[in-house]
Amino acid sequence: DDVSSRILSSLPIEFCCPICEDVIVGASVLGCGCARSSFCSRCIDDRLTSQSRESLTILGTDLDTIAEGYVVVDRKDVPGSSGARGGNDSNKCQLDTCHCPSCDAAVRSPPVPCHALDVAILKCVSNLSTEDADRGRFDGEAKDGAGTADKGADSSAAAASAVRAFQIRYYARLRERRTEVLLLRERRASEEREMREECLLGALIQAEEEQRATRRRRAWSKRGPPLRSFATRDGVQRENRGLQLLGEVFIMVAAAATAAILGVRISSGASKS
Ligand SMILES: [Zn+2]
Ligand SMILES: [Zn+2]
């Protein structure tokens, strides 16, 4: 509302996000160097994602294709930038060169998170006083030419509650951001864990195979070298086929025996009745 925008204007302009026009939460800084190059992480990420999506739409690339599979766009085809990459995840869809939403300068590097700015903003908002709310008001009234207002007890109480409300809203947004970051971190950690487990499993399987191979080699060295006919790949295959045939014959014999026994039982049962 009006009071909160007055409080906001009493803060340094670098603390205000040019996209959402609110106090920055989770600061990210673009390298263009203009006065308004710091943003909320979420705001700038959303903006850059939509920038890259626009370029891809200009190219006539079907956005559904990007959602379905991995699409690589030819870098030189992207207008106004050095290139674009489309991933299967829309969040990964980012331009190599992005444009600052404030000054429209082309920036080659992605926005960098700035913890120091976060701390400075937190300190500044925590130390807001009723004068900050008042100062904005007096500035506004001075511009209107109305002069100074009377500093009554209820007006300063209203200013104090406005500052308090401003701080509460900021803290709530900070908490939300914190939850978001923790979730993101957790997801990344679980992805890394999965990858590590996969690597470990692969290594275990490889070790097992190597162990089996050395055991086989040892058995051969005890028995002496394998027969010449089995040494060739063809020979091994022949041996395997021989084993397979033997197995099949065994199964057939077993089946025939079972059938014979069953037949005898059934016929004996029939003769009894
Ligand atoms: Zn923002
Ligand atoms: Zn800029």
Side-chain angles (χ1 to χ4, degrees):
D1 56 23
D2 206 30
V3 188
S4 71
S5 67
R6 263 187 244 142
I7 298 171
L8 194 65
S9 65
S10 76
L11 295 174
I13 188 115
E14 290 83 0
F15 290 7
C16 174
C17 172
I19 296 172
C20 65
E21 295 290 346
D22 206 340
V23 184
I24 291 173
V25 166
S28 253
V29 181
L30 263 182
C32 60
C34 76
R36 307 210 63 191
S37 57
S38 32
F39 311 86
C40 312
S41 290
R42 202 204 282 173
C43 291
I44 190 69
D45 284 350
D46 286 354
R47 181 60 66 92
L48 294 184
T49 305
S50 71
Q51 265 186 22
S52 70
R53 279 183 161 258
E54 270 164 31
S55 323
L56 291 172
T57 317
I58 292 165
L59 275 176
T61 313
D62 188 4
L63 288 179
D64 290 336
T65 326
I66 296 168
E68 276 169 20
Y70 196 83
V71 176
V72 179
V73 177
D74 198 352
R75 281 154 183 262
K76 61 182 185 293
D77 287 341
V78 179
S81 74
S82 74
R85 265 197 299 265
N88 53 357
D89 187 353
S90 62
N91 290 332
K92 281 180 194 156
C93 191
Q94 276 199 359
L95 289 170
D96 280 353
T97 302
C98 50
H99 288 266
C100 171
S102 306
C103 66
D104 204 39
V107 187
R108 289 201 59 87
S109 50
V112 180
C114 184
H115 183 62
L117 188 55
D118 279 329
V119 174
I121 293 170
L122 176 63
K123 289 256 172 200
C124 199
V125 172
S126 307
N127 292 331
L128 273 176
S129 62
T130 52
E131 277 117 61
D132 292 306
D134 280 339
R135 192 169 59 213
R137 185 159 57 99
F138 293 141
D139 286 352
E141 280 172 2
K143 269 175 213 152
D144 293 341
T148 52
D150 58 316
K151 245 186 170 178
D154 36 294
S155 89
S156 80
S161 78
V163 166
R164 192 82 201 113
F166 185 86
Q167 287 170 329
I168 285 170
R169 209 163 51 81
Y170 170 69
Y171 295 149
R173 287 176 62 219
L174 265 190
R175 262 198 299 278
E176 203 182 301
R177 171 72 190 159
R178 188 186 137 82
T179 318
E180 211 176 271
V181 167
L182 287 180
L183 273 175
L184 200 76
R185 234 179 254 173
E186 212 173 275
R187 208 174 63 196
R188 269 196 206 138
S190 80
E191 273 172 11
E192 270 172 26
R193 205 160 43 229
E194 258 170 46
M195 252 172 62
R196 244 180 288 131
E197 275 167 10
E198 253 170 52
C199 284
L200 199 70
L201 205 67
L204 275 175
I205 289 170
Q206 204 182 344
E208 173 72 26
E209 275 171 0
E210 272 167 19
Q211 227 172 36
R212 210 177 297 162
T214 49
R215 239 181 280 146
R216 207 177 303 144
R217 264 201 300 278
R218 243 179 249 152
W220 278 351
S221 64
K222 252 185 223 166
R223 244 187 1 218
L227 290 173
R228 203 183 178 81
S229 58
F230 291 152
T232 58
R233 195 192 167 85
D234 212 38
V236 172
Q237 273 172 356
R238 227 177 292 144
E239 182 198 37
N240 288 346
R241 249 169 91 188
L243 278 174
Q244 204 184 332
L245 268 173
L246 207 70
E248 275 168 16
V249 166
F250 177 76
I251 287 165
M252 271 158 69
V253 167
T258 318
I261 290 164
L262 275 175
V264 167
R265 283 221 180 131
I266 286 163
S267 65
S268 70
S271 66
K272 259 182 204 167
S273 68

